[in-house]
Structure formats: structure tokens, C-alpha cells
Amino acid sequence: MPIASTLHPEGVSNDEFRAAMSRLAAGVCLITAHENPLTPDGPGGEDIGMTATAFMSVSLEPPLVLVSLREGSRMDDLLAEQPLWAVSVLADHQVQVAGRFSMKNRISDRLLFADLPYVRGEVSGAPLLTGALATLECRTENRVEAGDHTLVVGRVLTSALPSPDSPPLTYFRGRYRHLAG
């Protein structure tokens, strides 16, 4: 017997909403930040990463972007304290990276970054993937609670195009996809 989906007062169910939104193709990004050490003389801080498909440009003047984070996630908690973060726009050959950083109940982020080629952002200190289509370093300008997510608006401080001619990785109908040429 199927489990009934939650029906909201507006009349749409969670399943209906999820099905409709899965038809919106999205680019795939790796959002990263560097968590500072707990104490000045303690062990070094840790790099944190998460896959995001809810990422977009907001403004050209000033250059602003927005990422949607699940409320209470490790990245949401970190960006509530740490204003600097980074974005790597993933190329289609980086599908394993997207899957790795989207796993629930995953191993430590330190192990997830272990074999990835990246450079450390000069402003944010966060990992920037060397094979990405584009990379951005950002500083949080605003945080907005929105249902079970937090919308984080960031001012873009740096941008680069490490591998601009690669095809993009996309997400459509619940799966990572490659664009047909």
C-alpha cells in the first residue's frame, strides 16, 4: 500500500511538488568552505563540501549569487559562523564529485577531499576544483530562512575559469545528466 504524500493547505502534495520541480534542469556545483581550527594551537581546520543544484546568479551590480542550504545541515551551520565560502561549477566529467558530496551519512569530508585535484582559494581558503567550469569565492551578504532551507546570498569576490570549454554537469528528473551536443 503506497504511503500518502503530505498534502499542504494550498492543495499541492510533497510528491506533486517534487515531481514538478524535477522537470527543471539545473547546473551542479560543489559548495565549499574552510572550518577554522577550534583553538589557535590545536589541529588545523577542516574543509567542508556539499553538492548543490539550487544555485543561481542574483545581481551583476554588485556581483551576487544565491545558494539554498538545507536548514541545520553542516554547511548551513558553518556558513552561519564563517562568512567566506566558494563554488566550483562542475563539468560533466565530475559526476563522481557530485555524487560523493551529496551522500547522506557520508564519511568525513577530509576523506572526500583526499584525492581531488584542487587549489585553495586565496580569499576564502576553501577548496576550488581545478577541473571545474568556473570557480567563485564569496562572502555572505545575507541569510534568509525559507521553509526547511536557508537562502545564502553571497558577494562574489573572485572568479576564474579553470576549464571553461568542458560541457556542464546537469541534474534533471532526479539524476545527473550530460547535455547532448
Side-chain angles (χ1 to χ4, degrees):
M1 184 165 158
I3 297 173
S5 178
T6 302
L7 186 64
H8 298 278
E10 295 81 9
V12 66
S13 73
N14 285 355
D15 288 343
E16 291 168 331
F17 180 67
R18 186 176 293 116
M21 296 312 298
S22 77
R23 271 47 178 197
L24 177 64
V28 184
C29 299
L30 178 65
I31 309 298
T32 58
H34 184 75
E35 185 174 37
N36 292 322
L38 293 175
T39 60
D41 57 345
E46 188 172 357
D47 294 322
I48 308 300
M50 65 160 269
T51 303
T53 56
F55 176 80
M56 63 183 280
S57 168
V58 174
S59 169
L60 185 59
E61 286 294 330
L64 299 174
V65 294
L66 177 144
V67 65
S68 180
L69 306 175
R70 188 175 33 82
E71 184 179 292
S73 67
R74 187 164 183 202
M75 186 64 73
D76 183 36
D77 291 345
L78 176 57
L79 294 189
E81 298 176 13
Q82 159 62 285
L84 298 173
W85 46 284
V87 180
S88 294
V89 179
L90 300 183
D92 72 349
H93 68 272
Q94 295 174 310
V95 66
Q96 292 83 6
V97 173
R100 180 186 294 196
F101 284 92
S102 66
M103 293 185 301
K104 292 185 184 345
N105 303 317
R106 63 187 192 218
I107 58 176
S108 106
D109 282 21
R110 180 174 291 124
L111 295 175
L112 296 178
F113 281 107
D115 62 347
L116 290 181
Y118 68 86
V119 296
R120 196 159 293 284
E122 291 182 26
V123 175
S124 66
L128 299 166
L129 297 182
T130 56
L133 295 175
T135 59
L136 308 167
E137 289 184 276
C138 306
R139 181 184 64 239
T140 299
E141 292 277 310
N142 198 6
R143 293 172 54 88
V144 178
E145 291 179 18
D148 59 1
H149 278 64
T150 303
L151 305 178
V152 179
V153 178
R155 181 179 295 251
V156 177
L157 305 173
T158 71
S159 69
L161 303 174
S163 187
D165 296 325
S166 295
L169 180 61
T170 59
Y171 193 74
F172 180 71
R173 293 185 68 186
R175 292 183 24 217
Y176 297 113
R177 310 278 182 149
H178 304 283
L179 285 183

